Amino acid sequence: LFEHSFFCIVIIPYTYHKIMEVDEKSSGSSSKTTTITKKTSIIEYPSLDISKYAASYTSKVKVDRLLHISRVCPSKKKECYRLAVEEVKKGIDVGIYDRVMEDGQKLLGASECQFDAAWMSQQSQKNEKQVRYLEDEIQRWRNLSNREKICSSYLEAAEYCVSIGNFNTAISRYIEAKSYAGDTKMLLDINLKIMVTSIKSGQFGHVKSEASHALASEDIFKDNKFKSKVLCCLALYNLYNGRYKEAVLSIMGCHFSIYNSFPQILSGADIALYGGLCALASFSRKQLKKQVLDNTEFKRFLELKPKIGSLIQSFYDSEYSKVMSGLNGLRNDMIIDLYLFPRVDHLLTAIRGKALVQYFSPYSAMDINKMADSFKVPVSEMESELAVCIGDSHIKAKIDSHNKIVYASKSNKRNELFANVLNLGEDFERDMKAVLLRTSLIKNHVIVNSRADWFSGHEEDEMGGGIMGMMGGMGRRIMGGGGGGGGRRGPRKGGRGGRKGRGGKRNKL
């Protein structure tokens, strides 16, 4: 009887461990496949004033935003292309002119959009000639070793490359100019230009490193507008990578003076939109109150986008029907935004999930029909939203689809106990192996001496042996022998006995 009971005690944890592994694998695979059905990206937005919207931006960002709206809102396509054609005619970027004018001519006709091939050819030649001239200027001032002129010539070449749409070359010239910057203010200005150019290129690759360098300087905090521009670039980088909390923390540090002074990237209404949505997706209710609703500086941005302010207030007041209707009302604004568009469904799902968590957390069971009535959504949509939240581990619950009830899952203390025991056993096994390994190394004299002992023992013995002597001595120390120089004929016996052997060998050679 004792043997059988001992056998059970040994086997049960092992089999339980295997069952746990299977459950973890199955739960992991199911969470990966849990998704929410995406709604169509083609919208109708009759109340959108394209002219007023586009007036907040300049240069390439304005054209990119207009082209994006034309793709997602077909009813505004012609108006977007009219404004885009006017904008590209102001610049010297032949590539974007060719792309916009070609599509615009098909859409608007030759009467409204006249394609000037002669201008394109002449401007291309001018651009190539000017780029060669600026490169020659860089080389000339480098030969004369004039640091100030070298920096200015690099900056001039970079700015011209930006104007013709060659962003990669522009970034490389800005980076080279940093080595010749005369003071901290100029270096910070170059950091910001690299970030702006990287965002215009659509790659965001240099934003984080340049923002880190800029924010590490004390001089940046003397100019609120400049600091806010850097923080906006960093926020866009985090938003692009789906790091909503980092994005909103950057936006909360922006000063209101930037609301109309950064048109080459975003507007004040965009700051309110990005900050409000990211705060809803990442902040707790307490953080919303402290860092958003009580933030006097950010509330000035919210006045530029009243729908965001009312949405945040409704979320804080637990008015879930207003939250859902507010999110549906903001969906069009999110889709027409160039930087929010890739994250629309993910952001909306995260915000709805937080609202569901906040609503369901006090209860052990809840009728889905009642939840659907509170959120003013169909029962089927509410059930799918709950399924997504459970799959993403926002809510620990189970859905009874037949009776339309969701039950809170209680934690299994027995499972947690076995998991803790297995983790402690693995930690103990790893520590014991490390102790045994160290003991074996010490027993076989496979040790490394301290730095001071190493150099004191080799300062004179290894001086004549050069690199090979030091390597030979290192090998003998590791294998357990003495620390003599290279080329000895026999084992070292005491003190400096090896020197004679080395000298003898040198005399023979």
Side-chain angles (χ1 to χ4, degrees):
L1 180 63
F2 176 78
E3 291 176 353
H4 286 296
S5 62
F6 179 76
F7 179 78
C8 291
I9 291 172
V10 174
I11 290 298
I12 286 174
Y14 177 76
T15 56
Y16 182 79
H17 177 53
K18 292 297 179 184
I19 292 171
M20 275 182 48
E21 288 181 348
V22 173
D23 290 340
E24 287 175 357
K25 290 178 181 177
S26 62
S27 64
S29 61
S30 64
S31 63
K32 288 181 181 177
T33 57
T34 301
T35 55
I36 187 169
T37 304
K38 292 187 177 181
K39 298 180 181 179
T40 178
S41 298
I42 305 300
I43 61 170
E44 293 296 329
Y45 201 168
S47 61
L48 177 63
D49 188 347
I50 297 293
S51 300
K52 183 179 179 181
Y53 179 85
S56 302
Y57 310 99
T58 58
S59 66
K60 185 179 183 294
V61 172
K62 181 177 181 178
V63 178
D64 288 341
R65 286 181 177 268
L66 288 170
L67 295 180
H68 172 70
I69 294 174
S70 70
R71 289 190 293 268
V72 299
C73 188
S75 61
K76 302 288 183 180
K77 192 169 186 177
K78 287 187 177 181
E79 189 175 356
C80 288
Y81 266 93
R82 288 191 187 97
L83 294 173
V85 167
E86 292 178 5
E87 187 65 26
V88 296
K89 286 182 178 180
K90 299 176 184 177
I92 58 174
D93 187 350
V94 177
I96 196 170
Y97 177 88
D98 185 18
R99 188 169 68 254
V100 172
M101 297 298 289
E102 183 180 359
D103 295 338
Q105 197 170 31
K106 295 177 183 177
L107 182 65
L108 303 174
S111 59
E112 291 189 55
C113 182
Q114 295 182 356
F115 188 86
D116 193 347
W119 177 87
M120 278 187 59
S121 177
Q122 294 176 3
Q123 191 61 49
S124 296
Q125 294 176 2
K126 288 181 181 179
N127 292 345
E128 293 176 3
K129 183 178 179 181
Q130 183 66 16
V131 168
R132 286 196 300 269
Y133 169 75
L134 293 173
E135 293 293 332
D136 293 341
E137 284 292 299
I138 292 173
Q139 190 59 44
R140 182 167 76 90
W141 291 116
R142 284 175 64 91
N143 294 337
L144 294 174
S145 300
N146 189 326
R147 293 181 62 87
E148 184 179 353
K149 293 293 185 181
I150 293 172
C151 184
S152 61
S153 59
Y154 269 126
L155 292 176
E156 188 177 356
E159 289 168 3
Y160 192 80
C161 288
V162 170
S163 65
I164 63 175
N166 193 351
F167 298 110
N168 291 330
T169 304
I171 290 173
S172 65
R173 295 293 173 267
Y174 279 132
I175 292 174
E176 289 169 343
K178 288 170 64 177
S179 304
Y180 300 94
D183 52 17
T184 305
K185 184 178 180 181
M186 182 181 291
L187 185 60
L188 289 174
D189 188 54
I190 296 173
N191 290 139
L192 180 60
K193 288 180 177 178
I194 293 174
M195 285 185 276
V196 171
T197 307
S198 182
I199 293 173
K200 286 183 177 181
S201 68
Q203 298 175 357
F204 294 85
H206 298 272
V207 175
K208 185 177 180 181
S209 59
E210 297 300 327
S212 300
H213 293 158
L215 293 173
S217 174
E218 296 180 358
D219 294 342
I220 194 175
F221 298 98
K222 299 176 182 178
D223 188 350
N224 287 327
K225 187 180 293 185
F226 186 87
K227 182 192 73 171
S228 299
K229 291 181 179 180
V230 173
L231 290 174
C232 283
C233 292
L234 185 59
L236 280 179
Y237 168 82
N238 288 317
L239 177 62
Y240 176 79
N241 290 283
R243 300 167 185 163
Y244 303 134
K245 190 167 187 178
E246 289 81 357
V248 69
L249 289 175
S250 298
I251 289 175
M252 291 303 155
C254 294
H255 194 266
F256 186 70
S257 58
I258 197 181
Y259 82 98
N260 63 348
S261 60
F262 206 22
Q264 61 268 39
I265 296 296
L266 44 67
S267 64
D270 293 332
I271 295 176
L273 182 64
Y274 302 156
L277 291 173
C278 291
L280 288 172
S282 58
F283 278 174
S284 64
R285 193 164 177 268
K286 184 177 179 180
Q287 288 174 321
L288 276 179
K289 176 65 175 175
K290 182 178 179 181
Q291 300 191 35
V292 180
L293 295 176
D294 292 343
N295 188 333
T296 55
E297 199 67 30
F298 188 69
K299 284 175 72 175
R300 298 176 70 184
F301 286 108
L302 292 177
E303 293 174 0
L304 302 173
K305 200 79 172 177
K307 290 191 289 187
I308 288 289
S310 61
L311 176 64
I312 296 173
Q313 189 64 51
S314 299
F315 192 95
Y316 180 76
D317 295 336
S318 301
E319 297 176 350
Y320 301 109
S321 60
K322 291 184 179 180
V323 170
M324 301 304 281
S325 61
L327 288 175
N328 292 331
L330 281 171
R331 190 172 186 275
N332 286 347
D333 293 323
M334 297 171 67
I335 288 177
I336 66 170
D337 188 86
L338 181 64
Y339 302 116
L340 280 178
F341 177 73
R343 297 280 172 184
V344 171
D345 294 291
H346 191 267
L347 260 174
L348 290 177
T349 302
I351 296 170
R352 287 171 180 158
K354 288 201 67 178
L356 289 171
V357 170
Q358 185 172 306
Y359 181 87
F360 180 72
S361 57
Y363 306 102
S364 59
M366 176 59 66
D367 188 354
I368 297 178
N369 296 302
K370 186 176 180 181
M371 292 184 69
D373 184 62
S374 298
F375 282 85
K376 302 299 181 185
V377 295
V379 176
S380 58
E381 185 176 345
M382 177 55 63
E383 191 172 347
S384 64
E385 293 279 359
L386 284 169
V388 171
C389 291
I390 293 171
D392 293 340
S393 301
H394 296 308
I395 302 175
K396 294 182 179 180
K398 296 179 181 179
I399 298 175
D400 183 353
S401 184
H402 178 69
N403 296 316
K404 302 300 179 185
I405 298 176
V406 57
Y407 296 96
S409 297
K410 296 180 180 179
S411 59
N412 193 324
K413 300 297 182 182
R414 187 169 181 269
N415 291 359
E416 294 177 0
L417 175 62
F418 274 109
N420 291 334
V421 169
L422 289 170
N423 290 333
L424 288 173
E426 291 173 359
D427 293 342
F428 179 78
E429 182 182 4
R430 184 180 64 251
D431 294 342
M432 287 301 100
K433 284 182 178 179
V435 171
L436 291 173
L437 177 61
R438 177 172 175 78
T439 304
S440 179
L441 291 174
I442 294 174
K443 182 178 179 181
N444 291 278
H445 306 290
V446 185
I447 58 174
V448 178
N449 291 335
S450 65
R451 188 177 180 88
D453 294 341
W454 174 268
F455 282 103
S456 63
H458 283 70
E459 186 175 2
E460 296 181 1
D461 291 352
E462 305 289 307
M463 189 64 71
I467 297 296
M468 295 303 295
M470 183 174 289
M471 293 300 293
M474 185 185 299
R476 277 186 294 277
R477 278 179 178 267
I478 293 175
M479 298 304 295
R488 290 186 178 83
R489 298 196 166 199
R492 179 176 180 179
K493 297 183 180 179
R496 306 274 178 101
R499 286 190 74 163
K500 187 174 182 181
R502 182 172 58 188
K505 184 176 180 180
R506 192 179 296 165
N507 292 336
K508 272 189 176 183
L509 290 174

